[in-house]
């Protein structure tokens, strides 16, 4: 029933927006954060992914991001990324707001992607704001040198928002505005536990917009959602889009209803 409810909402939406988290990329081989075996299982994010850690223990910080970047090399968009790009192309989705830093939505063809937490595909200097190709970071580490900013010689980091850093207010304002206009927010693969991203669904609900959540685990917004699809994104999102387009039932749909 949830899939059909979600499909009807998607079919009828005029200003739908997607909000994605790490769960949309696990079927591309990238771990999420809070699932068993996720990145924060056994690693204190404050020790490896905070601005303080970057300043205090750059070696530990670099090791953590080298590992993340090495996984990124082989990651490809999965059907969930591709279908979200298709939905934008046919005018059913205005944008993808993502907490992810893997660039897989853009690789799948999504054009309007708001990266709330930055991107691993670029390097940045926290001292002077200079942006650089991520190779400036990875090549230095491969040569066992400290990645340095070419402008101010400050320590370079991936252009991701670390714990303790403020995210881009301009990008968040654009995401917030999209949610305040949205008649439907399609959440895919997020625990909806990290603010301010986790405030966006409320911005949709506050003006009567509807929520559809595709997530393996419960989220704090499940009770407010018009439909919750407890399934893998790589299967549920294509099934949802097919149903919304009036197409054949997707695999998930067949399984649910036989
Ligand atoms: N299909 C559907 N849901 C999935 C899948 C999948 N294939 N894989 C994982 N999930 C679900 C998990 O059950 C979990 O609830 O996706 C959710 C991912 O939640 P998190 O790991 O908390 O990731 P996310 O919500 O993106 O975290 C937000 O936290 O640490 C910060 O900056 C980091 O951007 C990240 C933010
Ligand atoms: Zn600099």
């Amino acid at each position: 029933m949830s899939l059909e409810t979600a499909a009807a909402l998607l079919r009828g939406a005029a200003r739908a927006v997607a909000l994605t988290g790490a769960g949309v990329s696990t079927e591309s081989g990238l771990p999420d954060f809070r699932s068993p075996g996720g990145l924060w299982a056994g690693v204190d994010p404050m020790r490896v992914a905070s601005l303080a850690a970057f300043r205090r223990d750059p070696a530990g910080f670099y090791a953590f991001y080298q590992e993340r970047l090495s996984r990124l090399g082989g990651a490809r968009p999965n059907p969930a990324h591709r279908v979200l790009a298709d939905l934008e192309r046919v005018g059913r989705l205005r944008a993808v707001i993502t907490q992810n830093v893997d660039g897989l939505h853009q690789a799948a063809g999504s054009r309007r992607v708001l990266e709330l937490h930055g991107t691993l595909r670029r390097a940045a200097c926290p001292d002077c704001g200079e942006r650089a190709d991520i190779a400036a970071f990875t090549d230095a580490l491969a040569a066992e040198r400290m990645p340095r900013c070419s402008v101010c010689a400050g320590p370079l980091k991936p252009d991701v928002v670390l714990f303790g850093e403020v995210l881009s207010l301009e990008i968040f304002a654009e995401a917030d505005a999209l949610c305040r206009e949205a008649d439907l927010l399609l959440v895919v693969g997020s625990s909806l536990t990290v603010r301010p991203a986790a405030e966006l669904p409320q911005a949709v609900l506050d003006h009567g917009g509807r929520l559809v959540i595709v997530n393996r685990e419960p989220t704090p917004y499940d009770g407010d959602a018009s439909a919750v699809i407890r399934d893998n994104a790589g299967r549920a999102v294509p099934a949802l889009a097919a149903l919304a387009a009036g197409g054949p039932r997707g695999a998930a749909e067949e399984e649910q209803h036989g």
Side-chain angles (χ1 to χ4, degrees):
M1 192 50 198
S2 304
L3 202 66
E4 280 162 345
T5 304
L9 288 169
L10 182 58
R11 192 182 301 127
R15 296 178 310 285
V17 176
L19 170 63
T20 67
V24 79
S25 296
T26 54
E27 291 164 82
S28 296
L30 298 177
D32 66 10
F33 296 92
R34 295 172 181 83
S35 288
L39 284 175
W40 298 152
V43 171
D44 174 3
M46 294 306 147
R47 231 181 31 76
V48 294
S50 68
L51 195 56
F54 173 67
R55 300 283 191 202
R56 186 189 58 242
D57 170 21
F61 175 92
Y62 289 142
F64 177 70
Y65 278 96
Q66 255 182 317
E67 159 71 13
R68 287 194 75 186
L69 281 160
S70 64
R71 287 175 195 251
L72 205 50
R76 296 287 172 271
N78 67 58
H81 295 106
R82 287 200 295 273
V83 165
L84 290 175
D86 293 343
L87 286 172
E88 180 191 35
R89 189 173 50 257
V90 300
R92 281 201 192 281
L93 202 61
R94 297 182 75 193
V96 173
I97 301 166
T98 189
Q99 302 168 86
N100 299 342
V101 295
D102 55 34
L104 290 180
H105 286 301
Q106 295 92 325
S110 287
R111 298 165 64 87
R112 191 176 183 190
V113 180
L114 281 69
E115 293 175 311
L116 297 179
H117 295 168
T119 176
L120 284 171
R121 303 283 179 178
R122 205 176 37 231
C125 171
D127 293 346
C128 74
E130 172 73 2
R131 283 342 195 240
D133 189 289
I134 193 64
F137 178 79
T138 49
D139 291 353
L141 291 181
E144 296 186 359
R145 286 185 287 104
M146 167 86 95
R148 289 261 173 224
C149 169
S150 61
V151 170
C152 75
L156 216 50
K157 69 178 187 62
D159 194 8
V160 296
V161 179
L162 301 176
F163 286 102
E165 277 191 304
V166 179
L167 51 77
S168 158
L169 298 179
E170 186 187 345
I171 293 175
F172 186 76
E174 186 181 348
D176 187 55
L178 277 166
C179 288
R180 291 189 185 288
E181 295 163 5
D183 48 7
L184 175 65
L185 183 70
L186 173 60
V187 175
V188 184
S190 178
S191 60
L192 296 175
T193 51
V194 174
R195 300 189 175 291
E199 293 161 3
L200 292 172
Q202 194 57 53
V204 178
L205 295 166
D206 283 349
H207 69 272
R210 309 293 283 277
L211 212 45
V212 166
I213 297 173
V214 176
N215 207 59
R216 272 189 195 147
E217 305 281 331
T219 80
Y221 280 97
D222 286 6
D224 304 302
S226 300
V228 175
I229 300 168
R230 191 75 69 228
D231 192 4
N232 283 333
R235 188 172 62 173
V237 174
L240 170 56
L243 214 48
R249 286 178 161 193
E253 176 66 10
E254 284 308 329
E255 186 178 271
Q256 279 192 352
H257 294 274

